[in-house]
Amino acid sequence: MWSVLWAAVRSKAPYVTFPVAFVVGLVGYHLERFLRGDPAPSAEEEKSISEQREDRKLQEIAGKDLTNVVSLKDKLEFAPRAVLNRNRPEKS
């Protein structure tokens, strides 16, 4: 009889343990939130990472004159530099 009982408990264990674990986690979450206090989120925390990055880039270029660029005729080199300049002859 005990083997039948243990087999039934073993087969129904996931159906019992999941709701128990869910309730314990929920109670623990709310208890910790109550004990620590719930700070109001600031405006920076509400923004996503991409929004924060865009704001930072806008602040960086806010004081610059974007019309002052180097002419392509004045640039000496159009292609990116090779790794360690191995494949480029020395320019004088």
Side-chain angles (χ1 to χ4, degrees):
M1 181 67 184
W2 284 106
S3 61
V4 174
L5 181 67
W6 284 115
V9 168
R10 234 180 305 151
S11 66
K12 303 298 181 189
Y15 301 110
V16 174
T17 54
F18 177 72
V20 170
F22 183 78
V23 169
V24 168
L26 192 65
V27 168
Y29 173 77
H30 286 294
L31 182 65
E32 182 178 355
R33 194 173 194 188
F34 174 73
L35 292 176
R36 285 189 178 193
D38 189 21
S42 65
E44 286 296 319
E45 292 176 355
E46 292 177 1
K47 291 183 180 180
S48 68
I49 300 295
S50 60
E51 289 174 339
Q52 291 176 6
R53 183 181 303 126
E54 289 174 359
D55 290 344
R56 188 187 69 242
K57 285 181 179 180
L58 286 173
Q59 289 174 355
E60 287 176 358
I61 65 172
K64 294 181 181 178
D65 182 17
L66 299 179
T67 60
N68 187 11
V69 294
V70 179
S71 171
L72 290 177
K73 292 178 184 177
D74 296 338
K75 285 189 176 183
L76 297 175
E77 191 172 327
F78 293 107
R81 300 174 66 93
V83 176
L84 301 177
N85 288 331
R86 291 184 193 176
N87 301 331
R88 302 251 173 173
E90 292 296 323
K91 291 186 177 183
S92 56

